Amino acid sequence: MKNNSLSSLTLLFIAALLSGCGGSDTKIVEREPIPIEDDHGHDDEHDHDEEVSLGRLLISTKDQAKVSVVDIKEKTVVHEVTVSETPSALYASPNNRYGFVVQRTADRVDVIDGGLWQEDHGDHADDFEADPKQMLFSTNRVRPTHLNGTSDQSVIFFDGNSATASPASVAVFTEADIANNAAGTLLEYTTHMHGAAQGRGDYLISTVRDPATTSTLPDRVAVYRAHNGYFADESVFSETCPGLHGSAQNETQITFGCTDGVLVITQTGETFAASKIPNPASFTGTTRIGALVGDHAIEEFVGIAAGQFFAVNTSTNVITAINWVDTSVTPAATALAYDFADDGEFFVILDNQGKLTILDTADWSVIDRVQAITSNLAALPTGSKFELALTPGHLAYVSDPIANQVKQIDLDEAEVTDTIQLDFVPNKITWLGIAEPASGEHAH
């Protein structure tokens, strides 16, 4: 086994208070990036191996314009940044090195370098560890709302603002764009919309809204292709998607939620075809799928309608209910956060009672449930909720704004394995680190 050595006792630490761009204040302990060497037989190197394997958490503070990077192994804040406003969301970049700090009403997205990354040299990979820092990279397009990623792209949909006649736009960034403070590849609309977009390499599958309509939701989807830093439209699908909201993708398909079903876009090489899965007969009134989740390792999608979960099978064109609720508990739990985990093996749901439900994606059966939060739920601060951060491996993290803690859950063992005590009330949370360290230690 390869041990990750940092020889940190020989480093010169310089404490500094730095000013970041856009009115951000940064507290950082600065040092040069250190390659993690193969050095056998030393306990401290094993500790650094574990530190890199566990990674770091990016956490925002409730009702404050501040984010912190927390070292999971050491359980300490190693970096703090004051941003423009209380973050509306936090997202990790595709390789989990960078954290996007979305500040929707400030029309801004800042980026934090988590300080853990890997460089691929073909015949081997090297892991690096450095102090976290705020990147020069940022965006100031209007109303950043939805962010998703592929294996090498981050896609941000900016809704625009009808009150200021600001049109919507989409920006697609690679890790190199972030590192080099580059503009990325842009799609610029002529009207505002609460839309959605999915990146597919040189292609972008994104929404279209008729500016003559009063709804902010689009009802069509188009294929765009990158040319010289901008996306140009190639074709608009004839299949409509009224009231479009929510999108996801897997290896070959992209899905969008519509009031009358799920729009499915299938990619074959450079060709894209559209079809529609109609709502099941069990959907009555205004029930519709308004959010979707996909994973490149899984053929089925998960759709969310009226707070319930459904397996969306694009091969059989069938939408089937997922029975995840513990019927022995009254009142019934409601979902707060959810996603695929551990390379698509699990689907994890965090509910408002602080419990994680772990589903087997092979048949959508419940594997186990974990009571992540044991604090007095009645003491939950107004405006707070439990938040979920998943690693690429089998560890999950759940924030507890009652006790100012983060709980670590091992999904394989279905148990709480550690607690991180904070000195602030956590709000949003995401995981940063190396998915598969060169030491062979998967990111747990």
Side-chain angles (χ1 to χ4, degrees):
M1 174 177 163
K2 181 177 179 180
N3 291 316
N4 295 340
S5 173
L6 287 175
S7 302
S8 60
L9 295 178
T10 67
L11 300 177
L12 175 64
F13 292 91
I14 305 172
L17 180 65
L18 304 176
S19 295
C21 62
S24 300
D25 295 325
T26 307
K27 293 180 181 178
I28 182 172
V29 177
E30 182 119 345
R31 68 184 182 206
E32 290 298 313
I34 303 297
I36 301 166
E37 305 292 348
D38 185 357
D39 193 351
H40 297 278
H42 297 283
D43 289 341
D44 59 338
E45 274 94 27
H46 175 76
D47 289 343
H48 284 299
D49 189 35
E50 183 181 1
E51 180 177 347
V52 170
S53 181
L54 287 174
R56 294 165 174 172
L57 293 171
L58 181 63
I59 309 174
S60 66
T61 302
K62 175 179 167 57
D63 297 331
Q64 293 187 33
K66 186 173 76 172
V67 292
S68 301
V69 179
V70 175
D71 184 281
I72 295 173
K73 179 181 179 295
E74 299 298 330
K75 303 180 182 181
T76 58
V77 173
V78 293
H79 187 63
E80 291 181 352
V81 175
T82 300
V83 292
S84 299
E85 70 174 17
T86 301
S88 53
L90 299 177
Y91 296 95
S93 66
N95 69 5
N96 295 100
R97 175 176 179 176
Y98 301 110
F100 290 90
V101 184
V102 181
Q103 302 141 83
R104 187 174 187 272
T105 59
D107 299 332
R108 187 173 180 87
V109 179
D110 289 302
V111 174
I112 306 299
D113 182 350
L116 299 173
W117 74 97
Q118 187 176 86
E119 293 182 1
D120 187 356
H121 299 284
D123 61 340
H124 73 283
D126 291 328
D127 298 338
F128 288 83
E129 179 182 5
D131 295 300
K133 64 181 180 181
Q134 182 177 7
M135 301 297 290
L136 291 175
F137 176 95
S138 65
T139 72
N140 58 2
R141 290 179 169 267
V142 179
R143 296 298 188 267
T145 303
H146 292 302
L147 193 152
N148 62 73
T150 65
S151 61
D152 57 1
Q153 294 176 313
S154 296
V155 180
I156 306 177
F157 198 101
F158 301 83
D159 283 0
N161 189 343
S162 61
T164 59
S166 301
S169 61
V170 182
V172 178
F173 303 105
T174 64
E175 306 287 316
D177 291 332
I178 297 169
N180 298 321
N181 194 23
T185 308
L186 304 175
L187 170 60
E188 297 182 326
Y189 290 101
T190 58
T191 186
H192 66 278
M193 81 176 86
H194 184 59
Q198 295 286 332
R200 304 285 295 187
D202 286 339
Y203 293 97
L204 184 71
I205 313 303
S206 193
T207 52
V208 178
R209 172 184 170 270
D210 183 352
T213 63
T214 57
S215 174
T216 60
L217 298 178
D219 65 355
R220 302 291 287 272
V221 173
V223 178
Y224 300 84
R225 192 167 189 175
H227 297 279
N228 299 320
Y230 290 88
F231 287 102
D233 64 297
E234 296 239 314
S235 61
V236 179
F237 296 106
S238 58
E239 187 76 63
T240 62
C241 183
L244 187 155
H245 194 276
S247 68
Q249 65 171 292
N250 61 17
E251 185 69 25
T252 60
Q253 295 180 313
I254 309 98
T255 54
F256 295 87
C258 320
T259 57
D260 59 356
V262 174
L263 179 66
V264 181
I265 310 297
T266 301
Q267 181 179 4
T268 306
E270 296 184 351
T271 302
F272 297 84
S275 60
K276 177 74 69 69
I277 302 176
N279 285 334
S282 60
F283 282 17
T284 59
T286 59
T287 301
R288 51 78 54 90
I289 287 179
L292 288 152
V293 191
D295 187 280
H296 275 239
I298 302 297
E299 291 186 4
E300 288 184 298
F301 292 85
V302 174
I304 297 88
Q308 299 304 311
F309 293 82
F310 297 84
V312 180
N313 191 313
T314 59
S315 297
T316 62
N317 289 339
V318 174
I319 298 174
T320 307
I322 297 173
N323 297 315
W324 72 278
V325 176
D326 186 350
T327 56
S328 68
V329 176
T330 304
T334 58
L336 296 177
Y338 43 84
D339 208 345
F340 288 95
D342 208 357
D343 296 323
E345 180 180 351
F346 304 129
F347 190 79
V348 180
I349 303 171
L350 172 65
D351 66 40
N352 64 335
Q353 297 174 8
K355 184 178 292 185
L356 274 183
T357 298
I358 306 168
L359 298 166
D360 184 346
T361 57
D363 58 8
W364 303 110
S365 62
V366 174
I367 298 174
D368 215 328
R369 304 182 196 272
V370 183
Q371 189 63 54
I373 304 300
T374 56
S375 301
N376 178 11
L377 300 184
L380 185 68
T382 301
S384 287
K385 65 177 183 176
F386 309 123
E387 298 276 352
L388 174 66
L390 294 170
T391 71
H394 61 86
L395 289 183
Y397 294 89
V398 175
S399 65
D400 179 357
I402 303 169
N404 296 344
Q405 295 177 341
V406 175
K407 298 292 186 178
Q408 181 189 81
I409 298 93
D410 187 316
L411 299 176
D412 282 342
E413 301 299 326
E415 64 180 9
V416 176
T417 52
D418 208 352
T419 299
I420 300 173
Q421 185 65 53
L422 306 172
D423 62 0
F424 58 90
V425 181
N427 191 20
K428 305 299 181 181
I429 181 173
T430 195
W431 182 86
L432 304 177
I434 302 172
E436 296 187 25
S439 62
E441 297 276 346
H442 193 279
H444 293 281

